[in-house]
Amino acid sequence: MALSDDIWWTRKAKIQTEKRLLASAYQSQLIMLWYAFFGVAVSIYYLKFNVDGEYASVAWVIYSVLSLTMSGFIAGRSFKERSSQIKECYEALKGIQNKAKFLEESSSSNVDSWNSVREEYERLLGLCENHTDSDMVKALCIEHLSARGKTDKKTGLKPDMSKCPTCYHWFIFYKDIFIQIMMLLVMYVLPIAIFFILWSPHECPASV
């Protein structure tokens, strides 16, 4: 595979990395708002309708610790800062890709020119975190789905594409989507589950 194609795929993978980090930042904010709202709602419930409930103080402590832990974890992940670094990297990779493409099409390219492009390419990759294997798989599958033209029966490639996803790639692609959905579901359902675990159905609400 040509160097320009390699850079192109690296750039596409880093775009998926940025999208993943931005989505994580957005979901993290929603989760924090949800935890804060649910903690207040549970506090009002115990204060207003179940003043003598034996689990009231336990619920206060659990939701306070849960919110504090989640806020510290999210702050430590620095999703937005990392996504900004990734964006700067893949935007700079566009220029390196154009240089590599020019050298591939030029008849006067030399070893020094190629070494310069490779050194700049490696330098840019070192400026931010690397993309994950899942990011590359996602980029491969999405680009294949969005590419125009019919798939070649022999190679499995679409026009202007240098790679095509295999069955293993599709498995990883859908597996990652399933895991992400399940993790988000668990995070959103967790405070509700804690509430019902602590709540005693035998406690009668105080009469108003």
Side-chain angles (χ1 to χ4, degrees), residues 80-98:
K80 289 188 176 180
E81 292 81 358
R82 291 161 59 194
S83 65
S84 297
Q85 294 177 351
I86 293 291
K87 184 177 182 180
E88 292 178 3
C89 180
Y90 76 68
E91 286 179 346
L93 284 174
K94 181 64 176 179
I96 305 299
Q97 179 192 348
N98 291 334

Side-chain angles (χ1 to χ4, degrees), residues 3-5 7-9 11 92-104 117 121:
L3 179 60
S4 60
D5 291 332
I7 297 173
W8 189 85
W9 281 111
R11 184 171 176 271
L93 284 174
K94 181 64 176 179
I96 305 299
Q97 179 192 348
N98 291 334
K99 290 181 181 179
K101 192 71 174 177
F102 175 78
L103 291 176
E104 290 167 1
V117 170
Y121 175 44

Side-chain angles (χ1 to χ4, degrees), residues 39-53:
V40 172
V42 170
S43 301
I44 293 174
Y45 167 79
Y46 277 112
L47 288 174
K48 180 66 177 178
F49 303 106
N50 204 5
V51 179
D52 300 327

Side-chain angles (χ1 to χ4, degrees), residues 156-167:
L157 296 173
K158 286 190 174 182
D160 301 325
M161 296 285 288
S162 59
K163 289 183 179 180
C164 64
T166 63
C167 294

Side-chain angles (χ1 to χ4, degrees), residues 6-8 12 47 64 89 98 100 105-106 117 144 162-163 173-174 179 191 200 202 206:
D6 191 18
I7 297 173
W8 189 85
K12 291 298 181 179
L47 288 174
S64 297
C89 180
N98 291 334
E105 296 174 353
S106 175
V117 170
H144 180 79
S162 59
K163 289 183 179 180
F173 177 69
Y174 288 114
I179 291 176
S200 174
H202 301 292

Side-chain angles (χ1 to χ4, degrees), residues 22-68:
L22 290 176
S24 297
Y26 177 74
Q27 290 295 336
S28 298
Q29 293 176 352
L30 286 182
I31 289 174
M32 288 305 304
L33 288 174
W34 166 238
Y35 280 18
F37 169 79
F38 195 85
V40 172
V42 170
S43 301
I44 293 174
Y45 167 79
Y46 277 112
L47 288 174
K48 180 66 177 178
F49 303 106
N50 204 5
V51 179
D52 300 327
E54 58 178 313
Y55 298 115
S57 59
V58 177
W60 276 78
V61 173
I62 287 178
Y63 286 112
S64 297
V65 173
L66 184 62
S67 298
L68 180 62

Side-chain angles (χ1 to χ4, degrees), residues 14-24 83 138 142:
K14 288 193 175 295
I15 290 175
Q16 294 302 323
T17 304
E18 183 207 17
K19 290 181 179 180
R20 171 173 55 83
L21 293 174
L22 290 176
S24 297
S83 65
K138 189 173 183 180
I142 289 178

